[in-house]
């Protein structure tokens, strides 16, 4: 079982900005690649707007996934249907993930001022 986080990246009243979304994902890839550079047990994959941190474990290789998508359904309190969110799903709650979340928070605060990561 994992933990799910979200970062609101654009007001629902405004059209999504593909350039901002691309900059967010590119920034996350760059920063997380630096964080993982010295750890041979983990690597990062980035393809078609989705980013994953992986490990060599055939039962559960994905340990963090993140992507940008539009909220729908409104099942969770505070989530606004139609708004764009950076979704982060982490399958590890250990201290191992702390530098990854620090890197994510730094990129988001640089590119989307006033936003913050919250547990969903």
């Amino acid at each position: 079982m994992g933990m799910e986080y979200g970062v609101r990246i654009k007001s629902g009243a405004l059209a999504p900005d593909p350039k901002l979304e691309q900059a967010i994902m590119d920034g996350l890839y760059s920063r997380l690649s630096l964080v993982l550079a010295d750890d041979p047990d983990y690597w990062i994959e980035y393809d078609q707007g989705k980013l994953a941190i992986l490990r060599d474990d055939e039962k559960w290789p994905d340990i963090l996934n993140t992507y940008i998508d539009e909220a729908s359904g409104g099942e969770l309190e505070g989530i606004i249907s139609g708004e764009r969110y950076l979704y982060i799903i982490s399958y590890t709650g250990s201290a191992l993930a702390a530098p990854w979340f620090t890197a994510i928070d730094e990129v988001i605060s640089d590119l989307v001022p006033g936003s913050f990561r919250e547990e969903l």
Side-chain angles (χ1 to χ4, degrees):
M1 175 159 239
M3 300 294 291
E4 187 171 351
Y5 302 88
V7 179
R8 187 174 291 141
I9 61 167
K10 187 61 99 173
S11 168
L14 301 174
D17 184 346
K19 288 182 182 178
L20 173 60
E21 292 183 7
Q22 186 68 49
I24 290 169
M25 295 307 296
D26 290 349
L28 290 173
Y29 176 71
S30 295
R31 281 286 287 120
L32 288 169
S33 292
L34 290 173
V35 171
L36 293 169
D38 295 327
D39 194 336
D41 296 327
Y42 300 92
W43 68 93
I44 190 166
E45 288 186 1
Y46 178 38
D47 187 35
Q48 298 181 359
K50 295 185 179 185
L51 184 147
I53 295 176
L54 305 163
R55 65 179 170 195
D56 191 16
D57 180 342
E58 62 186 55
K59 292 181 182 177
W60 202 271
D62 289 31
I63 55 173
L64 185 135
N65 289 286
T66 186
Y67 59 94
I68 296 173
D69 203 355
E70 183 174 302
S72 63
E75 299 91 9
L76 299 171
E77 183 178 332
I79 300 297
I80 299 171
S81 188
E83 285 199 352
R84 305 288 287 177
Y85 285 83
L86 171 70
Y87 291 99
I88 307 158
I89 303 168
S90 176
Y91 300 102
T92 181
S94 67
L96 172 70
W100 306 344
F101 282 108
T102 298
I104 291 168
D105 292 342
E106 289 171 355
V107 169
I108 291 298
S109 68
D110 286 347
L111 295 173
V112 190
S115 66
F116 60 94
R117 175 174 44 92
E118 57 187 317
E119 190 175 334
L120 300 178

